[in-house]
Amino acid sequence: MGAPYPAAHNSHRRPALGVFETIGTETHESVHFGVDAATGLQAIVAIHSTALGPALGGTRFYPYSDTRAALVDVLRLSKSMTYKAAAAGLAQGGGKAVIIGDPAKLASEELFRAYGRFIDGLAGRYITAEDVGTTVPNMEIVGTVTPFVRGLPVENGGSGDPSPATARGVVASLRAVSSHLWGTSDLRGRRVAIKGVGKVGFSLAAMLADHGVELVVADINEQATGAAADQFGAEVVAVEEIHRVECDVYSPCALGADLNGEAIPQLACAAVVGSANNQLAEPADAQRLTARGILYAPDFVVNAGGIINIAAEAGGYSPEKSNIMVDRIHDNLREIFRTSVELGISTEEAAERFAETRIEAAKSQGDES
Ligand SMILES: NC(=O)c1ccc[n+]([C@@H]2O[C@H](COP(=O)([O-])OP(=O)(O)OC[C@H]3O[C@@H](n4cnc5c(N)ncnc54)[C@H](O)[C@@H]3O)[C@@H](O)[C@H]2O)c1
């Protein structure tokens, strides 16, 4: 009788790191691959956890160098969505999707319809929204073939642009930091340096100006800084200078990895509170900030306002309901700061434990029922 499998299966050659090996280093529930030959769709959905509810997270459309790079990214992003949703107290799990390719070349109505059918096939275990490389109009097309999409325009029953809600969450975080450090949640007279006055940063500047905060801003976009100077009396400094500005709070609202071995020694603030994702370049940066006596408000807790706003669509969206939910970020952070002090751990570690406690509690409740 011949060998049941081709010879390669029985050989002792070490296989290249394959899909299951890549996934196996993580703790995801499932990973789904979607293809559509007619439109060139190649998509991956990673569901990290549904312990707290259906996995919610946006769709990133990006020209990844290869499938493995896309897989690694979607695994990482979906896991961070679990932590973000759990720390925000949402009845949502963590998931994320990536579409491989250049959206400028590949995006089409047919592709998003095919993508919508793929999402629909997951029967609600994963709910999508826009992210880098996709737009609300793209998601409206997805919404024509599946109900499992959020963040649609207000006129279509959705919650619209999440950025003002994200900015509101940053303000709630600043109030928590102020209470922790200075014994008052009143922000009047504080000096805040914002890096990046885009959708979130500009909205944040407007809110802080209303609170009587003195603003310093920097952005590669001079129109944005000019508008912040005109409308809120913000002082404008160079992009290379903003993290060195003497201030109460430094607020990274541009790109990630802003807090690194080079920048942290130059900071001249008492706290860091911003909307940017993945602010710490590496885990050791959390300790670097602690060692400098700078209070770091963990980004995934601070910037959850957008996802909270989207989650507020469940049962009918209203801005009032969303605002109440977003403002809870204040109490969550206060608890995280207390844990960090009590246990002598970094605020980042305290925030991770805070999220993990909620996930574990949901899992053990699920086991009992
Ligand atoms: N929009 C949301 O609701 C939301 C939610 C959660 C997290 N975030 C994160 O917050 C950050 C800002 O998001 P956004 O929606 O405001 O994006 P955005 O693109 O509207 O704004 C980013 C701003 O940063 C500026 N910028 C880019 N590189 C810069 C640099 N090197 N130095 C200074 N400024 C620079 C850009 O010119 C732009 O004005 C991102 O990291 C995003 O992932 C946003």
Side-chain angles (χ1 to χ4, degrees):
M1 218 169 93
Y5 300 109
H9 277 267
N10 293 332
S11 83
H12 294 291
R13 228 164 21 100
R14 187 187 285 271
L17 197 59
V19 169
F20 281 104
E21 285 77 7
T22 305
I23 297 167
T25 58
E26 295 284 355
T27 53
H28 292 69
E29 285 180 15
S30 61
V31 181
H32 309 262
F33 292 79
V35 290
D36 181 61
T39 59
L41 174 73
Q42 290 188 334
I44 313 175
V45 169
I47 297 178
H48 178 258
S49 170
T50 55
L52 289 164
L56 177 64
T59 300
R60 186 162 288 196
F61 201 149
Y62 189 78
Y64 292 99
S65 53
D66 55 38
T67 309
R68 186 164 184 274
L71 180 60
V72 168
D73 205 32
V74 77
L75 291 171
R76 178 182 66 86
L77 292 166
S78 57
K79 186 175 178 181
S80 64
M81 290 308 296
T82 297
Y83 278 76
K84 190 179 288 201
L90 299 176
Q92 302 280 173
K96 199 89 180 184
V98 294
I99 298 177
I100 302 169
D102 181 351
K105 294 182 188 142
L106 199 63
S108 68
E109 259 191 67
E110 272 312 310
L111 178 136
F112 283 111
R113 261 195 285 277
Y115 177 64
R117 289 192 292 274
F118 169 44
I119 299 304
D120 202 55
L122 301 175
R125 287 188 67 234
Y126 168 66
I127 299 171
T128 199
E130 66 155 325
D131 193 66
V132 175
T134 56
T135 63
V136 170
N138 297 158
M139 290 304 128
E140 288 186 272
I141 301 169
V142 173
T144 62
V145 287
T146 180
F148 305 121
V149 58
R150 300 284 180 272
L152 298 178
V154 177
E155 56 274 22
N156 286 3
S159 54
D161 178 7
S163 307
T166 304
R168 187 180 177 100
V170 182
V171 175
S173 305
L174 274 156
R175 288 181 27 249
V177 162
S178 177
S179 297
H180 184 78
L181 288 180
W182 304 302
T184 168
S185 63
D186 187 357
L187 299 173
R188 188 161 300 277
R190 293 284 162 211
R191 185 169 153 89
V192 176
I194 306 176
K195 179 174 181 178
V197 273
K199 289 196 293 290
V200 178
F202 198 82
S203 198
L204 172 66
M207 292 174 191
L208 292 181
D210 280 348
H211 279 85
V213 169
E214 193 188 317
L215 295 168
V216 188
V217 298
D219 197 298
I220 48 173
N221 177 349
E222 285 179 14
Q223 262 184 336
T225 50
D230 289 349
Q231 293 180 37
F232 320 125
E235 178 188 341
V236 179
V237 300
V239 165
E240 306 74 43
E241 291 299 320
I242 188 80
H243 67 282
R244 286 199 279 259
V245 163
E246 276 202 31
C247 58
D248 295 303
V249 178
Y250 172 51
S251 184
C253 294
L255 307 175
D258 217 36
L259 304 172
N260 50 51
E262 195 188 328
I264 291 170
Q266 300 175 356
L267 294 175
C269 56
V272 178
V273 186
S275 77
N277 276 312
N278 304 316
Q279 290 170 31
L280 303 173
E282 53 175 341
D285 292 320
Q287 276 80 39
R288 287 195 179 105
L289 287 162
T290 311
R292 282 222 47 212
I294 295 171
L295 180 65
Y296 172 61
D299 51 14
F300 69 91
V301 182
V302 173
N303 70 17
I307 193 91
I308 294 172
N309 193 55
I310 287 172
E313 288 180 14
Y317 178 77
S318 85
E320 294 76 23
K321 177 171 118 185
S322 167
N323 286 347
I324 291 168
M325 289 165 71
V326 170
D327 288 346
R328 288 187 195 132
I329 291 176
H330 169 274
D331 296 351
N332 294 341
L333 264 183
R334 298 264 358 227
E335 192 174 330
I336 287 163
F337 293 154
R338 271 195 297 272
T339 305
S340 149
V341 172
E342 276 166 24
L343 303 183
I345 56 177
S346 74
T347 51
E348 178 79 358
E349 198 182 336
E352 283 169 9
R353 288 194 190 189
F354 182 75
E356 281 159 5
T357 304
R358 287 188 166 169
I359 298 163
E360 291 313 318
K363 275 187 187 160
S364 51
Q365 264 182 3
D367 291 345
E368 279 163 23
S369 59

